[in-house]
Amino acid sequence: MDAPHSMGTTIIGMEYAEGVILGADSRTTTGLYVANRASDKITQLTDNVYVCRSGSAADSQVVSDYVRYFLNQHTIQIGKAASVKTAATLVRELSYQNKSFLETGLIVAGWDIHEGGSVYGVPLGGTMLRLPFATGGSGCSYLYGFLDQAWQPNMSREDAEKLVVKAIALAIARDGASGGVVRTINVNAYGVERNFYAGDQLPLFYDELAPRPTLMQF
Amino acid sequence: MRWEEEGMKQNAFIMGNKLMGSSPHVFSLIMPSIPITHTQTPYVTGTSVLGIKYKDGVLIAADTAGSYGSTTRYKSVERLRPIGQNTLVGATGEMSDFQTILQILDRLIITNAMFDDDNTLGPPDIHSYLNRVMYNQRNKLDPFWNTLVLGGVKNGVKYLGNVTMLGLHYVDDHVATGFGIHLAQPIFRNEWNEDMTLEQGTKLLEKCMLVLFYRDRSAINKMQIANITEDGVKISEPYALQTKWDYEAFSNPTVGNEGSW
């Protein structure tokens, strides 16, 4: 059972009126075994920029660590917060120049004074695309149709967060490589806020059952 | 074989190397030796690009789809880009490689401008440069996985050409890449002529783009047309074409022959 640690994963980055929401599931698998059922796939790069990681856990962690290291130096040098575009470009350069070694899809999102909230998708291969919303990981296959219909521009913070949580919950329902809890991070001009939605508090969909009261003690 | 051993150099996790052109690694982490293999597989790809010369210049069209295998993953990818004042490049194939080629061309244009001698690079110059870039990557068995269409007008001379990922290059009055080779080129050969107006040229390209939307599974109905004249490069906002599905034979295809498709 020594298959490389991979993050099946569902990740989302979404722009709303004043900032961005990043969302992710929490399942990390080695082959068929769930190695970590409560992983944190949303990683901080700077005070104002975060990245959602998918694909190989090792590859995405290494890329994040290098970019955090570079951005730390860059921030000291320029004397102000790094832009989301800069962070995304660094992620892109690493992904592209090392494309034959890496297997990781990343979503870079955050807030800066130039552009407000922005979301950049950096899929396999190292293409970089700024988007109003981006999805990634194995679970994103199940979300194209849903988000095509449900996404609107200029949503409020609450609506965007609800949409992200609902989307990840839907993906978890169908993708075996996604599961656990939903974590979200909200970044805007005022700061950063983390949220946590426990697995048993997610909405239930078609053909799923609510749990029965149990005699077990946790 | 000697050339295989050549390839078994130490791997380096490269950062900032190609950012600085040919300067040495900014920073690299040496890893244990495994053979360096390149010749990648494409991930995010763009489909056909079409180009024709017309009376006042060159018209180039492409849709705005970025496919991920069989999925249309991105629907707003700009595959047509201006280079300098007189030229436009359109790309088929892996989009990350196209983005890198744009970085390389950007460096070329800026370096040339820094000579500050009023000399600007025109379409034939860009074409030749791109050919060298593509061919040299191919020789390293690490190609840019693209076919590029290159067009423009400078000093009254209209120019239109192609460069492939192997370094094959040529010029012509009309060019196409990908599915366009099979579906659009024959239409160009029949219907193109030298004195087409902007309207006639646009109509011809739209006709071909419509055929591609019907028959190329990677194509979407959202396209841009670029018009390059002596006055410069103008790329249209993305727009969609009218499609026709209301044929008798389409609404009742199996009447009279049940079980047919």
Side-chain angles (χ1 to χ4, degrees):
Chain A
M1 247 314 181
D2 241 352
H5 271 69
S6 136
M7 287 177 305
T9 306
T10 310
I11 49 173
I12 302 184
M14 189 177 289
E15 252 184 69
Y16 69 97
E18 291 121 28
V20 295
I21 309 264
L22 296 101
D25 75 309
S26 69
R27 178 172 286 189
T28 302
T29 51
T30 44
L32 301 173
Y33 176 66
V34 178
N36 187 349
R37 65 177 169 115
S39 353
D40 186 1
K41 304 181 189 180
I42 312 179
T43 302
Q44 184 182 34
L45 296 179
T46 67
D47 289 341
N48 58 316
V49 184
Y50 283 73
V51 61
C52 293
R53 303 180 291 109
S54 78
S56 156
D59 289 350
S60 65
Q61 282 167 8
V62 146
V63 170
S64 306
D65 287 347
Y66 274 120
V67 174
R68 191 183 312 115
Y69 167 70
F70 290 137
L71 284 173
N72 186 230
Q73 297 188 315
H74 176 64
T75 304
I76 292 168
Q77 184 166 40
I78 63 173
K80 48 191 174 185
S83 69
V84 185
K85 191 174 191 178
T86 303
T89 303
L90 286 167
V91 169
R92 184 265 177 198
E93 281 301 304
L94 282 172
S95 294
Y96 178 79
Q97 300 298 353
N98 298 285
K99 66 162 79 187
S100 44
F101 307 127
L102 295 173
E103 190 200 293
T104 172
L106 301 148
I107 299 178
V108 182
W111 188 95
D112 59 51
I113 46 165
H114 311 286
E115 296 287 326
S118 38
V119 174
Y120 289 86
V122 185
L124 256 48
T127 315
M128 178 172 123
L129 288 167
R130 181 166 180 199
L131 302 159
F133 69 94
T135 58
S138 54
C140 80
S141 312
Y142 306 96
L143 296 178
Y144 290 114
F146 172 66
L147 287 170
D148 270 353
Q149 183 250 19
W151 182 83
Q152 306 285 342
N154 288 115
M155 280 183 286
S156 69
R157 150 87 194 269
E158 291 73 29
D159 287 345
E161 179 115 1
K162 272 207 203 98
L163 183 59
V164 166
V165 174
K166 186 174 182 184
I168 294 177
L170 279 167
I172 286 174
R174 290 290 186 176
D175 179 27
S178 300
V181 308
V182 178
R183 299 190 195 278
T184 62
I185 290 207
N186 169 239
V187 188
N188 56 30
Y190 309 108
V192 176
E193 203 186 291
R194 264 189 186 276
N195 268 315
F196 173 83
Y197 301 85
D200 55 329
Q201 288 163 14
L202 296 173
L204 290 170
F205 299 113
Y206 169 69
D207 230 4
E208 294 186 310
L209 296 173
R212 248 189 341 201
T214 179
L215 297 170
M216 266 201 297
Q217 269 146 350
F218 283 108
Chain B
M1 302 236 177
R2 178 82 63 81
W3 67 269
E4 279 170 337
E5 288 159 53
E6 250 311 293
M8 296 187 72
K9 292 178 249 206
Q10 280 203 305
N11 274 3
F13 192 65
I14 292 166
M15 282 148 283
N17 179 29
K18 287 180 188 157
L19 266 175
M20 318 290 177
S22 55
S23 62
H25 301 341
V26 169
F27 181 89
S28 54
L29 174 71
I30 309 297
M31 303 197 305
S33 274
I34 42 167
I36 296 181
T37 53
H38 299 284
T39 312
Q40 340 117 15
T41 40
Y43 290 107
V44 179
T45 56
T47 184
S48 324
V49 177
L50 309 177
I52 54 172
K53 286 185 188 172
Y54 74 106
K55 191 158 62 73
D56 304 323
V58 179
L59 287 167
I60 300 182
D63 70 12
T64 64
S67 302
Y68 194 77
S70 59
T71 306
T72 304
R73 190 165 183 186
Y74 305 107
K75 292 191 271 193
S76 293
V77 180
E78 287 193 24
R79 300 197 288 117
L80 303 175
R81 293 297 180 113
I83 311 291
Q85 298 299 114
N86 313 97
T87 319
L88 183 113
V89 179
T92 297
E94 169 65 47
M95 285 293 109
S96 64
D97 285 341
F98 180 48
Q99 288 179 347
T100 301
I101 288 169
L102 290 173
Q103 284 180 353
I104 293 171
L105 286 174
D106 202 32
R107 240 172 280 143
L108 174 74
I109 298 291
I110 290 173
T111 310
N112 186 257
M114 291 198 296
F115 285 115
D116 202 21
D117 58 2
D118 290 328
N119 172 271
T120 55
L121 294 168
D125 313 317
I126 310 284
H127 193 204
S128 171
Y129 183 76
L130 275 178
N131 176 221
R132 292 264 64 73
V133 166
M134 300 298 274
Y135 185 63
N136 278 112
Q137 280 297 127
R138 168 264 192 194
N139 283 346
K140 294 194 270 183
L141 296 178
D142 183 17
F144 287 125
W145 207 280
N146 296 112
T147 310
L148 304 166
V149 170
L150 199 300
V153 189
K154 195 182 175 194
N155 296 331
V157 178
K158 295 177 286 203
Y159 193 91
L160 180 62
N162 263 19
V163 188
T164 71
M165 66 189 253
L166 300 176
L168 173 70
H169 66 289
Y170 54 91
V171 294
D172 209 338
D173 295 325
H174 41 75
V175 296
T177 67
F179 248 67
I181 295 171
H182 303 99
L183 297 179
Q185 277 276 43
I187 301 178
F188 291 157
R189 287 183 194 125
N190 268 345
E191 299 186 14
W192 179 88
N193 69 75
E194 219 176 329
D195 307 300
M196 298 184 93
T197 64
L198 175 61
E199 198 189 323
Q200 289 171 325
T202 305
K203 270 213 187 102
L204 178 59
L205 280 181
E206 286 186 350
K207 177 178 183 171
C208 293
M209 292 297 285
L210 186 60
V211 172
L212 287 170
F213 172 63
Y214 288 147
R215 299 293 183 174
D216 176 3
R217 81 162 188 190
S218 324
I220 60 170
N221 190 10
K222 188 176 174 188
M223 56 174 275
Q224 291 177 294
I225 291 198
N227 178 16
I228 314 101
T229 58
E230 194 69 55
D231 301 326
V233 181
K234 264 189 299 232
I235 308 177
S236 73
E237 282 300 301
Y239 66 100
L241 298 168
Q242 277 295 337
T243 59
K244 188 169 167 61
W245 300 92
D246 58 347
Y247 298 100
E248 259 302 309
F250 281 16
S251 38
N252 287 305
T254 58
V255 162
N257 49 338
E258 290 304 317
S260 160
W261 53 280

